[in-house]
Amino acid sequence: MTQPLLQKIAAGDPAAVDAFLKKHQGSVYGLARRFCRSAEDAEDATQEIFVEAWRSASRYDATFGSETTFLMTIARR
């Protein structure tokens, strides 16, 4: 089984950061856009969500859910 991207991010793999961003940026921005008044606010929120995900990457545990679930939990907060 392939190592989850968040585990690779926690280990310092810059390619994993790019892959994670490409995989999830559309869904995170879409969620942020639903809650923000402007596109600019949604872009700022999206950036903050990813920064928090990268900071929290070492806490990710695949036995508790998918990377998407982990990321969307951060986004909803």
Side-chain angles (χ1 to χ4, degrees):
M1 184 174 196
T2 305
Q3 183 181 22
L5 290 172
L6 283 169
Q7 289 178 351
K8 291 179 180 181
I9 290 169
D13 182 349
V17 173
D18 289 339
F20 189 80
L21 181 62
K22 287 177 186 172
K23 181 177 180 180
H24 296 289
Q25 67 186 357
S27 58
V28 170
Y29 177 77
L31 181 64
R33 190 65 185 107
R34 287 192 343 206
F35 291 98
C36 295
R37 292 181 184 214
S38 70
E40 293 81 18
D41 288 345
E43 290 170 7
D44 289 344
T46 299
Q47 182 177 4
E48 290 175 20
I49 291 163
F50 278 107
V51 167
E52 183 59 30
W54 296 323
R55 287 182 181 150
S56 303
S58 63
R59 292 189 350 241
Y60 174 69
D61 184 342
T63 61
F64 291 109
S66 70
E67 289 181 322
T68 301
T69 300
F70 182 82
L71 181 60
M72 291 303 157
T73 300
I74 291 170
R76 287 190 181 105
R77 287 189 207 148

